Structure formats: C-alpha cells, structure tokens
Amino acid sequence: MLAKRLPREHPLLEPTYAISDVPRCSKDNLSGSCVVNATREEVQECMAEVVLLCSEAVNRQAVHRRAVEAKAKDGGTAVHPAKPLSIEFIADRLDTDDPFNCLQVRTMPEGHLQGLITWTTFTEWQRHFYWDSLSTAAGLEEAAAEEGAGERKMDVDGTLAAALQNTIYEGDPEEQGVVWPRVAEIGLLGGLGCGRWLTECAIEEVCAICPAIPAIPHTLVLQLNTSLGWVSWSRLTCAE
C-alpha cells in the first residue's frame, strides 16, 4: 500500500492482561465470549491488543504445525508457516479502509480480545493494477504444483480474474485510491479459534449488501489461504 498514514495522537496502550493466557474459542459455539461491532476509533485505541492477538494466533498455529509436520514425515501433507500481521500493515488498514466494518470477539466478563475481523470495499493504491491469474508472475502455477494443492480451488483458466477485471472501478491512487465498489476485501483477520466463524460472518454481511457481479454472485477477497473453499486468484501491478 502507498497510503499515507495519519499521525497518532496517543501512544499504543499495552493491554492489562497477557494475551498468552487468553483461552481459545470453542469450535462449536462462542459460549463464554461476546461478539461486538467496533468502530475505527475503538480499534485504533486497542491496536496493541490486535497486534498481540495476531502474533499469538501465529504462535499457537506454529505449535500445531509442528505436530502436523511430524505426521507429514509419515506420508502426510506439510503445512507452510504463516506470518503475523505487522503493526505498519494494521495501522495502514485502520487509517485507509473506507467504509470500515469490524467485529470483535471478547471473553466474558473480562473483555479480553479473542478475535477480530475487518472488511471494506476493495481499494488499490497502484495506478497500473490489474487482475491476472494466468501470468507466471502470479505464482499459481507453482502453487498448483505444491503438495496438497489438489484440495484447493484455483482460477487456472483466468475466468475469475477476467470477470474481476471487467467490473467497474474508479479513483486516483494518489488521493482516495482506486475503488472497486462491487468487490469487498477482508482487511484484518486474527482469531484464537474463531477465525473461520468471523470470516463466515463477514461473508454473510457482504452477501447481504454487495451488488452482484455478472457471472460471479458475490466477491470477497483476502490475502491469505482459508479452508472455506475459496478460489485462489492473483492480482498484479505493472511498473510504468
């Protein structure tokens, strides 16, 4: 992103609890937790919690990954490590995403953060941006060759990328950005056992309000892999 970050008026406030002590959400329900809508200002005030949450989620995933990789030696599938969201990336999303939608999951009654998701209208900050799944630079060919890739859906014929490229978009990357009003994007996602549930909530919200694209009922994009049956595509930016 080439967005200009707004100056912070106050330093980040460290949470009064240890994020490592926050329990994992139940897989079946959110008993013991509450779900709240949060404004941009409220998330900015608890940004330190968000940073720590994302790092803790990756740490716990790493522990699980090592157990899975141990099984992979006996014929299983290796799992690629994830990376936590940087504070710079989180700050950029909080400053520039418009409109801003957010759900938080917190423990009851303590109010400790267990999960967070934000979504917005897809916006690009590069002038020469386009959707393309067929270019070798997109990396889908290498991804398709990876072990276990057969379980993933990929835009191997470029149909999805072409449909996205043909949707309406407008704006100036030097000002408000190039906005794709019929495409939504998940900006931030972190959860201790509730990431999938939060993503499904965001999908429901987007499907309820996002205009349909010809040949694509609704489109929501994000920059990570999920287990929700999404199609892998790629976007590219060309230098002038």
Side-chain angles (χ1 to χ4, degrees):
M1 270 181 123
L2 296 180
K4 295 181 180 179
R5 187 176 312 143
L6 300 177
R8 290 190 55 83
E9 297 180 359
H10 307 288
L12 294 180
L13 299 177
E14 293 286 339
T16 57
Y17 60 92
I19 194 71
S20 58
D21 294 335
V22 177
R24 176 184 174 86
C25 289
S26 170
K27 287 186 177 181
D28 300 325
N29 55 61
L30 296 181
S31 59
S33 305
C34 63
V35 182
V36 297
N37 288 290
T39 65
R40 186 193 311 272
E41 292 73 22
E42 289 171 337
V43 179
Q44 286 175 330
E45 287 300 317
C46 69
M47 192 164 70
E49 285 184 278
V50 177
V51 174
L52 292 173
L53 170 72
C54 294
S55 296
E56 178 64 17
V58 170
N59 290 338
R60 295 188 188 188
Q61 185 185 56
V63 173
H64 173 71
R65 186 182 70 249
R66 285 193 290 270
V68 172
E69 289 179 341
K71 294 182 179 180
K73 295 179 180 179
D74 298 325
T77 300
V79 179
H80 296 283
K83 295 181 181 179
L85 299 179
S86 68
I87 187 172
E88 292 81 6
F89 179 81
I90 293 173
D92 273 341
R93 300 305 310 225
L94 294 180
D95 287 344
T96 61
D97 284 1
D98 185 28
F100 183 83
N101 304 280
C102 177
L103 285 177
Q104 290 184 1
V105 177
R106 291 184 175 273
T107 61
M108 294 191 301
E110 303 87 358
H112 299 168
L113 188 63
Q114 289 179 301
L116 173 139
I117 190 170
T118 70
W119 66 96
T120 186
T121 303
F122 181 75
T123 304
E124 252 302 323
W125 302 91
Q126 301 284 349
R127 188 174 301 279
H128 301 284
F129 164 88
Y130 65 100
W131 305 90
D132 187 353
S133 297
L134 300 181
S135 170
T136 55
L140 289 190
E141 183 176 349
E142 291 81 358
E146 291 180 358
E147 186 177 2
E151 301 176 358
R152 297 165 55 187
K153 297 180 181 180
M154 297 188 183
D155 184 30
V156 293
D157 61 358
T159 301
L160 177 58
L164 289 169
Q165 187 61 34
N166 288 330
T167 61
I168 60 174
Y169 59 93
E170 61 181 354
D172 187 338
E174 299 299 327
E175 296 183 8
Q176 79 277 15
V178 180
V179 180
W180 301 67
R182 292 186 177 181
V183 181
E185 178 181 15
I186 291 179
L188 304 174
L189 173 61
L192 304 179
C194 57
R196 181 188 180 96
W197 184 87
L198 284 169
T199 303
E200 291 173 341
C201 286
I203 291 173
E204 290 181 4
E205 292 288 335
V206 169
C207 289
I209 63 175
C210 184
I213 302 173
I216 304 178
H218 300 279
T219 303
L220 177 65
V221 300
L222 72 168
Q223 297 184 41
L224 48 85
N225 294 326
T226 75
S227 59
L228 297 175
W230 291 26
V231 179
S232 295
W233 44 265
S234 187
R235 57 192 200 183
L236 299 176
T237 301
C238 287
E240 295 188 42

